[in-house]
Amino acid sequence: MHMDLKALAKINLGLDVLGRREDGYHDVRMVMQSVYLYDNVKIEQRRKPGIELMSNLYYLPSDSGNIAYKAAQMLMEEFDLPGGVRITLEKHIPVAAGMAGGSSNAAAVLFGMNRLYDLHLSQQELMERGVKLGADVPYCIIRGTVLAEGIGEKLTILPSMPKCAVLIAKPPISVSTKVVYEALDALEIVQHPDIDGLLQALEQGSLKGTAECMGNVLEDVTIPRYPVIHDIKQEMMAAGALNAMMSGSGPTVFGLFENKMLAREAQERIRKKGLAKQAYVTNVHSARRD
């Protein structure tokens, strides 16, 4: 028995940090959106006990250092599942890029093993387990257009984002989420993103309004350290993006375009200038499990 799943990437249409909590986590208010850029996750039941994890990226951990492995381990131990499981990750989502690739893999493993082993866990029960693995995992179980609050675990499903082309570009650098949030703690946040405006634009089904209200408070930390993020944003805007912004803690930048032709022109410009080799044109994805 096996299952093949698509683990979707996410972008943040809006990301605001309200403050640091005593437990070290941060209270956030953000609007998350799935995009049709995904990792393929294959889960196979085996007679041989234990968890085997394989990936097309040699540098990814294949043990409990991998969040997808931890997800399988959690369910195997809790339900005393017989035999073992083999997980194969075919990675396409840029790694350490602010796109929740790891969290999405973990969500796919929870979802897939629930089906494969007939555990009959509800979506809510999967999310309760997911948050123990990482703050983005519950969202990656729901997917679609969602308001995330608390540390990211309080989720409210929003009206679907208007259809548009999305250009995703990741420069050849890696950014530590932990370091970005620590640096943010030392800053005084002067301008908070207009999350309420974003919610209103989504309610109205306005792509232009959604684009205008986009904002990410973490750009104040990441862009001064990595100016290439600003350069990519500028290229996207010059090529006709409705708006362009860093996703999560970066360094990935995404731009919203009215059509794929404009997005492809921007993709070509960014590649030619050597700003990002990893550049993909895709579209937003509504909350439906493939």
Side-chain angles (χ1 to χ4, degrees):
M1 293 275 288
H2 76 274
M3 279 200 82
D4 293 298
L5 296 159
K6 293 182 175 76
L8 300 187
K10 66 88 183 157
I11 53 176
N12 295 92
L13 299 174
L15 195 164
D16 196 8
V17 178
L18 307 179
R20 190 170 189 270
R21 296 155 36 130
E22 283 182 13
D23 61 9
Y25 283 100
H26 289 77
D27 279 313
V28 296
R29 195 160 181 249
M30 51 193 180
V31 176
M32 325 256 270
Q33 174 63 49
S34 315
V35 290
Y36 215 70
L37 170 64
Y38 56 86
D39 295 338
N40 292 308
V41 180
K42 185 174 187 176
I43 306 164
E44 302 168 85
Q45 285 178 318
R46 300 196 310 158
R47 288 205 180 117
K48 186 182 169 188
I51 301 164
E52 184 185 354
L53 187 143
M54 299 182 295
S55 160
N56 58 326
L57 300 181
Y58 71 90
Y59 51 83
L60 281 190
S62 58
D63 55 13
S64 58
N66 190 306
I67 191 172
Y69 185 105
K70 281 185 188 166
Q73 195 173 38
M74 173 189 275
L75 293 183
M76 294 199 84
E77 288 175 0
E78 181 182 350
F79 293 96
D80 197 19
L81 299 178
V85 66
R86 177 190 285 135
I87 299 161
T88 309
L89 305 178
E90 187 188 301
K91 298 286 293 177
H92 301 286
I93 302 170
V95 176
M99 301 197 75
S103 296
S104 194
N105 294 164
V109 169
L110 293 176
F111 178 88
M113 286 183 68
N114 186 41
R115 288 274 179 91
L116 209 50
Y117 289 92
D118 293 322
L119 302 180
H120 304 293
L121 293 169
S122 67
Q123 187 181 66
Q124 185 58 39
E125 287 169 327
L126 286 176
M127 287 162 61
E128 284 163 10
R129 284 157 179 80
V131 76
K132 294 173 186 169
L133 297 165
D136 281 345
V137 178
Y139 165 72
C140 292
I141 290 167
I142 292 186
R143 312 199 299 196
T145 316
V146 171
L147 173 68
E149 297 173 288
I151 62 166
E153 88 290 7
K154 293 176 189 165
L155 303 175
T156 307
I157 295 170
L158 299 173
S160 292
M161 184 181 168
K163 290 198 175 352
C164 64
V166 184
L167 172 59
I168 292 160
K170 181 194 178 273
I173 52 174
S174 290
V175 174
S176 161
T177 302
K178 186 171 179 281
V179 168
V180 169
Y181 273 94
E182 281 170 1
L184 186 75
D185 292 337
L187 281 183
E188 189 178 334
I189 299 171
V190 179
Q191 199 173 357
H192 287 273
D194 185 7
I195 303 292
D196 289 333
L198 197 49
L199 299 181
Q200 196 175 356
L202 288 166
E203 195 67 52
Q204 292 165 351
S206 167
L207 178 60
K208 198 167 176 235
T210 299
E212 281 171 1
C213 291
M214 278 170 27
N216 181 349
V217 78
L218 299 180
E219 285 190 339
D220 294 348
V221 173
T222 313
I223 289 178
R225 293 172 180 223
Y226 304 101
V228 66
I229 295 168
H230 174 262
D231 296 343
I232 293 171
K233 284 179 65 173
Q234 291 300 105
E235 282 299 324
M236 288 188 185
M237 295 301 290
L242 294 168
N243 205 347
M245 192 175 85
M246 183 179 86
S247 185
S249 53
T252 302
V253 177
F254 70 91
L256 303 185
F257 293 81
E258 285 179 303
N259 60 63
K260 283 197 171 175
M261 191 180 76
L262 283 173
R264 288 205 175 95
E265 283 171 17
Q267 177 189 37
E268 196 59 32
R269 285 170 67 146
I270 285 163
R271 281 186 175 156
K272 271 187 180 166
K273 291 197 174 182
L275 297 172
K277 279 184 187 171
Q278 288 180 285
Y280 311 93
V281 175
T282 182
N283 46 280
V284 295
H285 189 270
S286 57
R288 178 177 56 80
R289 270 277 168 199
D290 290 274

